[in-house]
Amino acid sequence: MTSACRAALRAASSMQRTITSASSSAARQNIRCNVTQPSRTFSASVVYPDISMEHSYEQRRLPVTQFTEDEEMVRDAARHWANEVLRPLVRDMDNEGKTRPDVIQGLFDHGFMGMEIPEEYGGSEMNFTSACLVVEELSRVDPSVSILVDIHNTLTNNAVRFWGSKELKEKWLPRLASEAVSSFALSEAGSGTDAFALKTTATASSDGSYYTLNGEKLWISNSREAGGFFLFFH
């Protein structure tokens, strides 16, 4: 998480929390001080016919039953925004059948749309657990907004982060973190979400300067609000 993001969350968190017992606070602090943080290394590999990619990560993590201070601040900030700003608008948005622009802007303003995007691209540089906590807190109030945030972060943003070219990252990650909702265009009438059975094609022009897309997509998440489409084709 970036230092600026951490400072903002800490300020918001301090406004929301009320300390009711000094002894219980000391006990919590004591527990945290005695917890060991084991170093864990894990990797994700994706192998295609012509491309082999290996991503390794090493980080110190608390047990899954506990959250770090940063994760708690992110959770509390998301809970506060969802209850104070989002909740009063849920019924009206359901009746209107669309997400209000000021809600989407609020998601960007609070860093919820670029949670795992690195700071160099304008993101919040949170970890995956923090992203999960934000999605969980939003889903308590409005599952539709939660899904919008989840798809944008875990599908589109991460695809560009892990497998996008340098040029693609420089062009899209700053926009995805600050202004452009992404749409995940996979499903088709004849194949559902089976990516290997897609009928949509992309044919290169004779000079290779552009592609012509031919096909149809259905049930496309975030399409109404999208400023960019992550499209699957052969």
Side-chain angles (χ1 to χ4, degrees):
M1 184 188 298
T2 66
S3 57
C5 182
R6 185 179 293 107
L9 287 172
R10 184 173 286 110
S13 181
S14 65
M15 295 173 62
Q16 298 165 34
R17 295 178 179 174
T18 301
I19 300 176
T20 57
S21 171
S23 59
S24 63
S25 177
R28 287 196 299 273
Q29 184 177 6
N30 212 17
I31 291 172
R32 287 196 183 117
C33 290
N34 292 326
V35 170
T36 59
Q37 299 186 31
S39 177
R40 301 177 182 176
T41 301
F42 60 96
S43 63
S45 300
V46 181
V47 180
Y48 295 104
D50 302 319
I51 304 174
S52 179
M53 291 168 287
E54 182 79 19
H55 299 285
S56 295
Y57 313 82
E58 184 171 353
Q59 57 184 347
R60 298 177 67 81
R61 296 286 297 131
L62 291 170
V64 293
T65 54
Q66 299 183 47
F67 299 124
T68 66
E69 182 182 3
D70 284 352
E71 290 164 354
E72 289 179 344
M73 287 193 296
V74 170
R75 179 199 62 196
D76 293 346
R79 180 178 298 174
H80 178 76
W81 184 84
N83 284 324
E84 297 300 319
V85 178
L86 182 59
R87 187 180 295 279
L89 302 174
V90 172
R91 184 175 295 277
D92 287 340
M93 290 194 295
D94 281 348
N95 292 335
E96 296 166 3
K98 61 181 180 181
T99 304
R100 292 189 174 182
D102 55 324
V103 169
I104 294 175
Q105 187 59 52
L107 294 171
F108 281 113
D109 291 344
H110 284 75
F112 298 152
M113 299 297 272
M115 289 188 282
E116 293 182 86
I117 292 178
E119 182 180 10
E120 64 180 298
Y121 296 112
S124 302
E125 204 169 313
M126 301 179 190
N127 60 20
F128 182 63
T129 299
S130 295
C132 291
L133 290 171
V134 169
V135 170
E136 182 179 54
E137 291 302 327
L138 295 178
S139 68
R140 295 174 188 273
V141 175
D142 190 337
S144 295
V145 171
S146 176
I147 287 295
L148 181 149
V149 171
D150 189 17
I151 289 173
H152 179 86
N153 280 277
T154 60
L155 296 181
T156 305
N157 289 1
N158 281 344
V160 177
R161 279 201 312 127
F162 289 132
W163 300 296
S165 64
K166 183 176 183 295
E167 293 75 18
L168 196 64
K169 290 177 182 179
E170 290 176 347
K171 177 179 179 179
W172 278 103
L173 287 181
R175 291 192 60 197
L176 292 170
S178 63
E179 62 177 7
V181 176
S182 62
S183 177
F184 194 75
L186 171 62
S187 300
E188 297 180 1
S191 62
T193 56
D194 182 358
F196 294 98
L198 299 178
K199 301 300 183 183
T200 299
T201 61
T203 305
S205 61
S206 57
D207 62 358
S209 62
Y210 65 91
Y211 286 85
T212 299
L213 299 177
N214 186 20
E216 295 180 349
K217 296 290 182 179
L218 294 175
W219 313 299
I220 304 308
S221 303
N222 298 351
S223 58
R224 182 193 294 269
E225 297 83 13
F229 289 81
F230 187 47
L231 182 70
F232 288 78
F233 54 81
H234 287 301

